[in-house]
Amino acid sequence: LVSPVILCGGSGTRLWPLSRQSYPKQFVPLVGNNTLFQDSVIRLSEGFDGIDFLAPTIVTASDFRFIVAEQLAQIGIDPGTILIEPQSRNTAPAILAAAHYLAETDPETILLVAPSDHVLQDPVAFHAAVKKGLAAVEAGKLVTFGVKPTRPETAYGYLELATLPNRLDAAVDLEKFVEKPNMARAIEMLETGTYLWNSGIFLFKAKDILAAFDLYAPDLMPPVTNAVSTAKSDLGFLCLDPAAWADVEDMSIDSGIMEKADNLAVVPFEGGWTDLGAWDAVWRETDPDADGVVTAGGATVIDCENSLIRAESENLEMVGIGLRNVMAIAMNDAVLVADMARAQDVKTAVAALRQKG
Ligand code: GDD
Ligand code: MG
């Protein structure tokens, strides 16, 4: 039995202006008909040879609770629990809260922690990878899923292996976890050939991740334990206690725990994976025409190459002429025009806009 924990409390700022503070990317149908969140839930609810998924625990921010409930209803999936954070404190507290909550029933419970901003082309291959990870989990490992890098990406964490075996049947121990390197380091790691991208999907027993938090992030323990034990049910949501949560510090699971832990194992995953983190990833993920041009919303393009041109609202006429490596995303109240190579910098722009108020 595997207990899925789905994280969907992030704000997705690099996909502005489509992804907004009040309605972030995971709740938008970016590619295909379902939203990324819905696809994340669906692929962890189908049984597969040897894996039985329990009802998922969804961890999200208070602002998104009704979106979550509505999107689950649309796909006809009953969540086990929707756990609500009074404020976003990044992934470490979200995962710790879920682990505490699930450990109350059984500390041996196996958690499959999954983000909700990914596209996985082959769910069957993913299930097979999860199955490979289970033996390592039984041995007390914290298991990550690694993807072979195809470019020097600075938006991902990297997993260093002793050697990269040709055929991988089981989880292998990890040498080192490196979260979001700079470009020089990313180029180096790609050339070395013994690094995989961290997919951000984790598999472990509740008691083992709790032990890791005890060791590497002991200050998170008291306020998160407190917030879980005094959580209150409200309209079908389980709300973590706001007073206790106020003392919880911001921390990512990657730099807070995974970079420090010495019991990590990795299952290489080759089923096709993308984090739709920024517009260049959306462009790469959507089949472009022969010129590498991706459009949406009926935008008209003339003599453009390697560009993403999206009209994101009805009755919006959009035209691109002679563009190279440009992304243009237009909405009724906001327009982004940028160099495709600067996709990560949208985050900085959003921070500046928030300052402006
Ligand atoms: N509940 C909750 N609360 N969820 C959160 C919070 C929070 O405060 N912050 C982020 N999330 C969710 C996001 O919605 C997303 O689904 C997931 O947790 C991961 O957060 P991101 O903010 O998207 O992380 P990232 O993409 O920058 O980096 C992580 O994922 C990469 C691969 O996708 C890291 O794990 C990297 O190492 C990894 O390569
Ligand atoms: Mg992400």
Side-chain angles (χ1 to χ4, degrees), residues 200-227:
I201 303 169
F202 301 105
L203 187 72
F204 36 62
K205 284 193 177 179
K207 64 170 192 188
D208 293 323
I209 195 69
L210 290 176
F213 272 99
D214 245 339
L215 266 178
Y216 304 114
D219 292 350
L220 276 186
M221 278 299 204
V224 175
T225 313
N226 210 340

PDB file of all heavy atoms in Angstrom, residues 200-227:
ATOM      1  N   GLY A 200      11.927  15.510  -8.104  1.00  0.00           N
ATOM      2  CA  GLY A 200      11.105  16.122  -7.055  1.00  0.00           C
ATOM      3  C   GLY A 200      10.009  15.201  -6.549  1.00  0.00           C
ATOM      4  O   GLY A 200       9.140  15.610  -5.787  1.00  0.00           O
ATOM      5  N   ILE A 201      10.055  13.938  -6.986  1.00  0.00           N
ATOM      6  CA  ILE A 201       9.089  12.934  -6.517  1.00  0.00           C
ATOM      7  C   ILE A 201       9.840  12.053  -5.513  1.00  0.00           C
ATOM      8  O   ILE A 201      10.949  11.609  -5.803  1.00  0.00           O
ATOM      9  CB  ILE A 201       8.580  12.082  -7.699  1.00  0.00           C
ATOM     10  CG1 ILE A 201       7.971  12.985  -8.769  1.00  0.00           C
ATOM     11  CG2 ILE A 201       7.574  11.026  -7.224  1.00  0.00           C
ATOM     12  CD1 ILE A 201       7.672  12.284 -10.087  1.00  0.00           C
ATOM     13  N   PHE A 202       9.269  11.836  -4.353  1.00  0.00           N
ATOM     14  CA  PHE A 202       9.972  11.105  -3.293  1.00  0.00           C
ATOM     15  C   PHE A 202       9.124   9.958  -2.754  1.00  0.00           C
ATOM     16  O   PHE A 202       7.899  10.048  -2.731  1.00  0.00           O
ATOM     17  CB  PHE A 202      10.315  12.047  -2.127  1.00  0.00           C
ATOM     18  CG  PHE A 202      11.176  13.214  -2.521  1.00  0.00           C
ATOM     19  CD1 PHE A 202      10.633  14.490  -2.639  1.00  0.00           C
ATOM     20  CD2 PHE A 202      12.531  13.044  -2.788  1.00  0.00           C
ATOM     21  CE1 PHE A 202      11.425  15.584  -3.004  1.00  0.00           C
ATOM     22  CE2 PHE A 202      13.326  14.129  -3.142  1.00  0.00           C
ATOM     23  CZ  PHE A 202      12.778  15.395  -3.253  1.00  0.00           C
ATOM     24  N   LEU A 203       9.826   8.905  -2.330  1.00  0.00           N
ATOM     25  CA  LEU A 203       9.156   7.737  -1.760  1.00  0.00           C
ATOM     26  C   LEU A 203       9.884   7.354  -0.472  1.00  0.00           C
ATOM     27  O   LEU A 203      11.104   7.142  -0.496  1.00  0.00           O
ATOM     28  CB  LEU A 203       9.239   6.590  -2.777  1.00  0.00           C
ATOM     29  CG  LEU A 203       8.476   5.292  -2.520  1.00  0.00           C
ATOM     30  CD1 LEU A 203       6.969   5.487  -2.691  1.00  0.00           C
ATOM     31  CD2 LEU A 203       8.954   4.191  -3.477  1.00  0.00           C
ATOM     32  N   PHE A 204       9.154   7.301   0.632  1.00  0.00           N
ATOM     33  CA  PHE A 204       9.785   6.902   1.902  1.00  0.00           C
ATOM     34  C   PHE A 204       8.719   6.505   2.904  1.00  0.00           C
ATOM     35  O   PHE A 204       7.537   6.777   2.713  1.00  0.00           O
ATOM     36  CB  PHE A 204      10.653   8.021   2.478  1.00  0.00           C
ATOM     37  CG  PHE A 204      10.124   9.415   2.275  1.00  0.00           C
ATOM     38  CD1 PHE A 204       8.904   9.802   2.822  1.00  0.00           C
ATOM     39  CD2 PHE A 204      10.847  10.351   1.536  1.00  0.00           C
ATOM     40  CE1 PHE A 204       8.420  11.096   2.629  1.00  0.00           C
ATOM     41  CE2 PHE A 204      10.365  11.652   1.336  1.00  0.00           C
ATOM     42  CZ  PHE A 204       9.150  12.015   1.886  1.00  0.00           C
ATOM     43  N   LYS A 205       9.172   5.868   4.006  1.00  0.00           N
ATOM     44  CA  LYS A 205       8.248   5.571   5.097  1.00  0.00           C
ATOM     45  C   LYS A 205       8.075   6.816   5.943  1.00  0.00           C
ATOM     46  O   LYS A 205       9.040   7.580   6.132  1.00  0.00           O
ATOM     47  CB  LYS A 205       8.794   4.446   5.969  1.00  0.00           C
ATOM     48  CG  LYS A 205       8.645   3.086   5.327  1.00  0.00           C
ATOM     49  CD  LYS A 205       8.902   1.989   6.334  1.00  0.00           C
ATOM     50  CE  LYS A 205       8.651   0.649   5.649  1.00  0.00           C
ATOM     51  NZ  LYS A 205       8.903  -0.486   6.546  1.00  0.00           N
ATOM     52  N   ALA A 206       6.889   6.983   6.485  1.00  0.00           N
ATOM     53  CA  ALA A 206       6.626   8.150   7.341  1.00  0.00           C
ATOM     54  C   ALA A 206       7.690   8.243   8.437  1.00  0.00           C
ATOM     55  O   ALA A 206       8.280   9.303   8.667  1.00  0.00           O
ATOM     56  CB  ALA A 206       5.226   8.056   7.944  1.00  0.00           C
ATOM     57  N   LYS A 207       7.995   7.126   9.088  1.00  0.00           N
ATOM     58  CA  LYS A 207       8.925   7.184  10.225  1.00  0.00           C
ATOM     59  C   LYS A 207      10.339   7.569   9.779  1.00  0.00           C
ATOM     60  O   LYS A 207      11.078   8.211  10.524  1.00  0.00           O
ATOM     61  CB  LYS A 207       8.947   5.850  10.979  1.00  0.00           C
ATOM     62  CG  LYS A 207       9.470   4.695  10.167  1.00  0.00           C
ATOM     63  CD  LYS A 207       9.692   3.473  11.048  1.00  0.00           C
ATOM     64  CE  LYS A 207      10.494   2.456  10.249  1.00  0.00           C
ATOM     65  NZ  LYS A 207      10.643   1.173  10.836  1.00  0.00           N
ATOM     66  N   ASP A 208      10.727   7.211   8.554  1.00  0.00           N
ATOM     67  CA  ASP A 208      12.088   7.532   8.098  1.00  0.00           C
ATOM     68  C   ASP A 208      12.240   9.011   7.750  1.00  0.00           C
ATOM     69  O   ASP A 208      13.289   9.608   8.013  1.00  0.00           O
ATOM     70  CB  ASP A 208      12.470   6.660   6.900  1.00  0.00           C
ATOM     71  CG  ASP A 208      12.596   5.196   7.300  1.00  0.00           C
ATOM     72  OD1 ASP A 208      13.081   4.942   8.430  1.00  0.00           O
ATOM     73  OD2 ASP A 208      12.192   4.321   6.522  1.00  0.00           O
ATOM     74  N   ILE A 209      11.215   9.602   7.159  1.00  0.00           N
ATOM     75  CA  ILE A 209      11.342  11.034   6.858  1.00  0.00           C
ATOM     76  C   ILE A 209      11.227  11.834   8.163  1.00  0.00           C
ATOM     77  O   ILE A 209      11.905  12.852   8.344  1.00  0.00           O
ATOM     78  CB  ILE A 209      10.327  11.503   5.774  1.00  0.00           C
ATOM     79  CG1 ILE A 209      10.719  12.886   5.230  1.00  0.00           C
ATOM     80  CG2 ILE A 209       8.903  11.538   6.276  1.00  0.00           C
ATOM     81  CD1 ILE A 209      11.967  12.924   4.407  1.00  0.00           C
ATOM     82  N   LEU A 210      10.423  11.344   9.104  1.00  0.00           N
ATOM     83  CA  LEU A 210      10.346  12.026  10.404  1.00  0.00           C
ATOM     84  C   LEU A 210      11.709  11.995  11.097  1.00  0.00           C
ATOM     85  O   LEU A 210      12.155  12.997  11.666  1.00  0.00           O
ATOM     86  CB  LEU A 210       9.268  11.385  11.291  1.00  0.00           C
ATOM     87  CG  LEU A 210       7.813  11.615  10.843  1.00  0.00           C
ATOM     88  CD1 LEU A 210       6.833  10.852  11.732  1.00  0.00           C
ATOM     89  CD2 LEU A 210       7.458  13.096  10.833  1.00  0.00           C
ATOM     90  N   ALA A 211      12.397  10.862  11.003  1.00  0.00           N
ATOM     91  CA  ALA A 211      13.730  10.747  11.609  1.00  0.00           C
ATOM     92  C   ALA A 211      14.702  11.725  10.942  1.00  0.00           C
ATOM     93  O   ALA A 211      15.535  12.354  11.605  1.00  0.00           O
ATOM     94  CB  ALA A 211      14.242   9.318  11.487  1.00  0.00           C
ATOM     95  N   ALA A 212      14.585  11.889   9.623  1.00  0.00           N
ATOM     96  CA  ALA A 212      15.471  12.821   8.908  1.00  0.00           C
ATOM     97  C   ALA A 212      15.206  14.260   9.348  1.00  0.00           C
ATOM     98  O   ALA A 212      16.136  15.049   9.544  1.00  0.00           O
ATOM     99  CB  ALA A 212      15.280  12.669   7.399  1.00  0.00           C
ATOM    100  N   PHE A 213      13.927  14.614   9.513  1.00  0.00           N
ATOM    101  CA  PHE A 213      13.604  15.961   9.994  1.00  0.00           C
ATOM    102  C   PHE A 213      14.165  16.180  11.394  1.00  0.00           C
ATOM    103  O   PHE A 213      14.675  17.244  11.718  1.00  0.00           O
ATOM    104  CB  PHE A 213      12.083  16.180   9.982  1.00  0.00           C
ATOM    105  CG  PHE A 213      11.567  16.706   8.669  1.00  0.00           C
ATOM    106  CD1 PHE A 213      10.989  15.867   7.736  1.00  0.00           C
ATOM    107  CD2 PHE A 213      11.653  18.063   8.358  1.00  0.00           C
ATOM    108  CE1 PHE A 213      10.506  16.349   6.526  1.00  0.00           C
ATOM    109  CE2 PHE A 213      11.175  18.557   7.152  1.00  0.00           C
ATOM    110  CZ  PHE A 213      10.601  17.698   6.229  1.00  0.00           C
ATOM    111  N   ASP A 214      14.056  15.138  12.226  1.00  0.00           N
ATOM    112  CA  ASP A 214      14.591  15.218  13.583  1.00  0.00           C
ATOM    113  C   ASP A 214      16.073  15.562  13.577  1.00  0.00           C
ATOM    114  O   ASP A 214      16.556  16.366  14.361  1.00  0.00           O
ATOM    115  CB  ASP A 214      14.431  13.843  14.249  1.00  0.00           C
ATOM    116  CG  ASP A 214      13.476  13.918  15.420  1.00  0.00           C
ATOM    117  OD1 ASP A 214      13.266  15.032  15.939  1.00  0.00           O
ATOM    118  OD2 ASP A 214      12.935  12.858  15.791  1.00  0.00           O
ATOM    119  N   LEU A 215      16.789  14.950  12.632  1.00  0.00           N
ATOM    120  CA  LEU A 215      18.236  15.149  12.542  1.00  0.00           C
ATOM    121  C   LEU A 215      18.618  16.479  11.911  1.00  0.00           C
ATOM    122  O   LEU A 215      19.519  17.167  12.391  1.00  0.00           O
ATOM    123  CB  LEU A 215      18.838  14.049  11.656  1.00  0.00           C
ATOM    124  CG  LEU A 215      19.382  12.791  12.312  1.00  0.00           C
ATOM    125  CD1 LEU A 215      19.874  11.841  11.227  1.00  0.00           C
ATOM    126  CD2 LEU A 215      20.531  13.151  13.256  1.00  0.00           C
ATOM    127  N   TYR A 216      17.976  16.807  10.785  1.00  0.00           N
ATOM    128  CA  TYR A 216      18.470  17.914   9.957  1.00  0.00           C
ATOM    129  C   TYR A 216      17.656  19.201  10.063  1.00  0.00           C
ATOM    130  O   TYR A 216      18.117  20.254   9.637  1.00  0.00           O
ATOM    131  CB  TYR A 216      18.550  17.477   8.493  1.00  0.00           C
ATOM    132  CG  TYR A 216      19.402  16.243   8.317  1.00  0.00           C
ATOM    133  CD1 TYR A 216      18.845  15.038   7.890  1.00  0.00           C
ATOM    134  CD2 TYR A 216      20.767  16.273   8.622  1.00  0.00           C
ATOM    135  CE1 TYR A 216      19.621  13.897   7.750  1.00  0.00           C
ATOM    136  CE2 TYR A 216      21.546  15.140   8.488  1.00  0.00           C
ATOM    137  CZ  TYR A 216      20.972  13.956   8.056  1.00  0.00           C
ATOM    138  OH  TYR A 216      21.734  12.832   7.931  1.00  0.00           O
ATOM    139  N   ALA A 217      16.432  19.099  10.557  1.00  0.00           N
ATOM    140  CA  ALA A 217      15.616  20.311  10.693  1.00  0.00           C
ATOM    141  C   ALA A 217      14.832  20.256  12.002  1.00  0.00           C
ATOM    142  O   ALA A 217      13.607  20.378  12.012  1.00  0.00           O
ATOM    143  CB  ALA A 217      14.673  20.441   9.490  1.00  0.00           C
ATOM    144  N   PRO A 218      15.539  20.078  13.119  1.00  0.00           N
ATOM    145  CA  PRO A 218      14.838  19.864  14.395  1.00  0.00           C
ATOM    146  C   PRO A 218      13.929  21.032  14.793  1.00  0.00           C
ATOM    147  O   PRO A 218      12.922  20.814  15.468  1.00  0.00           O
ATOM    148  CB  PRO A 218      15.979  19.673  15.409  1.00  0.00           C
ATOM    149  CG  PRO A 218      17.200  20.229  14.750  1.00  0.00           C
ATOM    150  CD  PRO A 218      17.010  20.074  13.277  1.00  0.00           C
ATOM    151  N   ASP A 219      14.261  22.258  14.328  1.00  0.00           N
ATOM    152  CA  ASP A 219      13.431  23.400  14.723  1.00  0.00           C
ATOM    153  C   ASP A 219      12.030  23.362  14.118  1.00  0.00           C
ATOM    154  O   ASP A 219      11.121  24.024  14.607  1.00  0.00           O
ATOM    155  CB  ASP A 219      14.101  24.723  14.308  1.00  0.00           C
ATOM    156  CG  ASP A 219      15.363  24.976  15.116  1.00  0.00           C
ATOM    157  OD1 ASP A 219      15.594  24.223  16.099  1.00  0.00           O
ATOM    158  OD2 ASP A 219      16.117  25.905  14.757  1.00  0.00           O
ATOM    159  N   LEU A 220      11.899  22.609  13.015  1.00  0.00           N
ATOM    160  CA  LEU A 220      10.568  22.531  12.387  1.00  0.00           C
ATOM    161  C   LEU A 220       9.635  21.624  13.175  1.00  0.00           C
ATOM    162  O   LEU A 220       8.416  21.752  13.095  1.00  0.00           O
ATOM    163  CB  LEU A 220      10.679  21.979  10.961  1.00  0.00           C
ATOM    164  CG  LEU A 220      11.027  22.930   9.823  1.00  0.00           C
ATOM    165  CD1 LEU A 220      10.933  22.186   8.500  1.00  0.00           C
ATOM    166  CD2 LEU A 220      10.107  24.135   9.805  1.00  0.00           C
ATOM    167  N   MET A 221      10.231  20.662  13.900  1.00  0.00           N
ATOM    168  CA  MET A 221       9.433  19.626  14.544  1.00  0.00           C
ATOM    169  C   MET A 221       8.358  20.158  15.499  1.00  0.00           C
ATOM    170  O   MET A 221       7.177  19.859  15.319  1.00  0.00           O
ATOM    171  CB  MET A 221      10.334  18.633  15.279  1.00  0.00           C
ATOM    172  CG  MET A 221      10.918  17.578  14.377  1.00  0.00           C
ATOM    173  SD  MET A 221       9.560  16.638  13.645  1.00  0.00           S
ATOM    174  CE  MET A 221      10.391  15.134  13.284  1.00  0.00           C
ATOM    175  N   PRO A 222       8.748  20.960  16.538  1.00  0.00           N
ATOM    176  CA  PRO A 222       7.719  21.355  17.513  1.00  0.00           C
ATOM    177  C   PRO A 222       6.534  22.109  16.887  1.00  0.00           C
ATOM    178  O   PRO A 222       5.387  21.699  17.101  1.00  0.00           O
ATOM    179  CB  PRO A 222       8.491  22.206  18.518  1.00  0.00           C
ATOM    180  CG  PRO A 222       9.934  21.823  18.333  1.00  0.00           C
ATOM    181  CD  PRO A 222      10.081  21.434  16.901  1.00  0.00           C
ATOM    182  N   PRO A 223       6.772  23.175  16.084  1.00  0.00           N
ATOM    183  CA  PRO A 223       5.592  23.889  15.581  1.00  0.00           C
ATOM    184  C   PRO A 223       4.738  23.053  14.609  1.00  0.00           C
ATOM    185  O   PRO A 223       3.516  23.146  14.634  1.00  0.00           O
ATOM    186  CB  PRO A 223       6.174  25.121  14.868  1.00  0.00           C
ATOM    187  CG  PRO A 223       7.594  24.822  14.611  1.00  0.00           C
ATOM    188  CD  PRO A 223       8.025  23.851  15.666  1.00  0.00           C
ATOM    189  N   VAL A 224       5.394  22.221  13.778  1.00  0.00           N
ATOM    190  CA  VAL A 224       4.602  21.430  12.814  1.00  0.00           C
ATOM    191  C   VAL A 224       3.816  20.340  13.551  1.00  0.00           C
ATOM    192  O   VAL A 224       2.629  20.120  13.269  1.00  0.00           O
ATOM    193  CB  VAL A 224       5.485  20.845  11.686  1.00  0.00           C
ATOM    194  CG1 VAL A 224       4.674  19.927  10.777  1.00  0.00           C
ATOM    195  CG2 VAL A 224       6.118  21.957  10.851  1.00  0.00           C
ATOM    196  N   THR A 225       4.454  19.665  14.516  1.00  0.00           N
ATOM    197  CA  THR A 225       3.755  18.637  15.307  1.00  0.00           C
ATOM    198  C   THR A 225       2.523  19.244  15.975  1.00  0.00           C
ATOM    199  O   THR A 225       1.424  18.681  15.952  1.00  0.00           O
ATOM    200  CB  THR A 225       4.687  18.089  16.414  1.00  0.00           C
ATOM    201  OG1 THR A 225       5.949  17.796  15.835  1.00  0.00           O
ATOM    202  CG2 THR A 225       4.127  16.825  17.038  1.00  0.00           C
ATOM    203  N   ASN A 226       2.763  20.419  16.531  1.00  0.00           N
ATOM    204  CA  ASN A 226       1.697  21.141  17.195  1.00  0.00           C
ATOM    205  C   ASN A 226       0.547  21.504  16.255  1.00  0.00           C
ATOM    206  O   ASN A 226      -0.635  21.323  16.564  1.00  0.00           O
ATOM    207  CB  ASN A 226       2.345  22.430  17.711  1.00  0.00           C
ATOM    208  CG  ASN A 226       1.691  22.915  18.946  1.00  0.00           C
ATOM    209  OD1 ASN A 226       0.561  22.529  19.220  1.00  0.00           O
ATOM    210  ND2 ASN A 226       2.387  23.756  19.698  1.00  0.00           N
ATOM    211  N   ALA A 227       0.922  21.992  15.062  1.00  0.00           N
ATOM    212  CA  ALA A 227      -0.092  22.409  14.082  1.00  0.00           C
ATOM    213  C   ALA A 227      -0.922  21.221  13.622  1.00  0.00           C
ATOM    214  O   ALA A 227      -2.113  21.357  13.329  1.00  0.00           O
ATOM    215  CB  ALA A 227       0.581  23.096  12.888  1.00  0.00           C
TER     216      ALA A 227
END
